[in-house]
Short mmCIF file of all heavy atoms in Angstrom, two decimals:
data_model
loop_
_atom_site.label_atom_id
_atom_site.label_comp_id
_atom_site.label_asym_id
_atom_site.label_seq_id
_atom_site.Cartn_x
_atom_site.Cartn_y
_atom_site.Cartn_z
N MET A 78 7.25 18.36 9.16
CA MET A 78 8.35 17.52 9.34
C MET A 78 8.01 16.04 9.34
O MET A 78 8.83 15.27 9.89
CB MET A 78 9.11 17.93 10.64
CG MET A 78 9.94 19.17 10.50
SD MET A 78 11.13 19.09 9.17
CE MET A 78 10.74 20.56 8.24
N ASP A 79 6.80 15.69 8.97
CA ASP A 79 6.43 14.28 9.18
C ASP A 79 6.68 13.40 7.91
O ASP A 79 5.82 12.89 7.33
CB ASP A 79 4.98 14.17 9.57
CG ASP A 79 3.97 14.90 8.63
OD1 ASP A 79 4.48 15.77 7.91
OD2 ASP A 79 2.79 14.71 8.77
N THR A 80 7.98 13.33 7.55
CA THR A 80 8.33 12.41 6.47
C THR A 80 8.19 11.01 7.10
O THR A 80 8.66 10.72 8.21
CB THR A 80 9.70 12.66 5.96
OG1 THR A 80 10.53 12.97 7.03
CG2 THR A 80 9.66 13.84 4.99
N ASP A 81 7.82 10.06 6.29
CA ASP A 81 7.81 8.63 6.77
C ASP A 81 9.24 8.06 6.90
O ASP A 81 10.15 8.52 6.30
CB ASP A 81 7.03 7.76 5.75
CG ASP A 81 5.58 7.96 5.86
OD1 ASP A 81 5.16 8.69 6.73
OD2 ASP A 81 4.87 7.33 5.07
N LYS A 82 9.25 7.04 7.80
CA LYS A 82 10.55 6.37 7.90
C LYS A 82 10.84 5.61 6.62
O LYS A 82 9.94 5.15 5.91
CB LYS A 82 10.45 5.30 9.05
CG LYS A 82 10.35 5.89 10.38
CD LYS A 82 10.09 4.80 11.39
CE LYS A 82 9.42 5.37 12.64
NZ LYS A 82 8.35 4.53 13.17
N ASN A 83 12.16 5.38 6.34
CA ASN A 83 12.52 4.81 5.05
C ASN A 83 12.47 3.18 5.16
O ASN A 83 13.50 2.58 5.00
CB ASN A 83 13.80 5.29 4.70
CG ASN A 83 14.03 5.25 3.21
OD1 ASN A 83 13.13 4.94 2.47
ND2 ASN A 83 15.23 5.61 2.73
N VAL A 84 11.36 2.66 5.48
CA VAL A 84 11.33 1.25 5.73
C VAL A 84 10.20 0.68 4.72
O VAL A 84 9.20 1.24 4.54
CB VAL A 84 10.81 0.93 7.20
CG1 VAL A 84 10.53 -0.50 7.34
CG2 VAL A 84 11.89 1.36 8.14
N GLU A 85 10.61 -0.40 4.02
CA GLU A 85 9.70 -1.05 3.07
C GLU A 85 8.82 -2.10 3.81
O GLU A 85 9.26 -2.89 4.54
CB GLU A 85 10.49 -1.79 2.06
CG GLU A 85 11.28 -0.95 1.06
CD GLU A 85 10.39 -0.57 -0.13
OE1 GLU A 85 9.21 -0.78 -0.10
OE2 GLU A 85 10.97 -0.01 -1.06
N ILE A 86 7.48 -1.99 3.54
CA ILE A 86 6.61 -3.04 4.09
C ILE A 86 5.83 -3.57 2.83
O ILE A 86 5.05 -2.87 2.18
CB ILE A 86 5.60 -2.37 5.07
CG1 ILE A 86 6.38 -1.88 6.29
CG2 ILE A 86 4.56 -3.41 5.48
CD1 ILE A 86 5.64 -1.17 7.24
N ILE A 87 6.29 -4.83 2.53
CA ILE A 87 5.83 -5.41 1.19
C ILE A 87 4.80 -6.51 1.54
O ILE A 87 5.06 -7.45 2.24
CB ILE A 87 6.98 -5.99 0.49
CG1 ILE A 87 8.05 -4.81 0.28
CG2 ILE A 87 6.55 -6.54 -0.87
CD1 ILE A 87 9.33 -5.24 -0.48
N LEU A 88 3.61 -6.30 1.00
CA LEU A 88 2.63 -7.38 1.14
C LEU A 88 2.52 -8.08 -0.21
O LEU A 88 2.21 -7.53 -1.27
CB LEU A 88 1.20 -6.77 1.40
CG LEU A 88 0.02 -7.72 1.40
CD1 LEU A 88 0.19 -8.80 2.56
CD2 LEU A 88 -1.33 -7.06 1.42
N VAL A 89 3.01 -9.38 -0.14
CA VAL A 89 2.85 -10.17 -1.43
C VAL A 89 1.58 -11.05 -1.14
O VAL A 89 1.62 -11.97 -0.32
CB VAL A 89 4.09 -11.11 -1.55
CG1 VAL A 89 3.97 -11.86 -2.88
CG2 VAL A 89 5.41 -10.31 -1.57
#
Side-chain angles (χ1 to χ4, degrees):
M78 286 302 130
D79 52 345
T80 42
D81 282 358
K82 293 174 199 137
N83 207 5
V84 170
E85 288 273 9
I86 297 174
I87 305 179
L88 174 67
V89 184

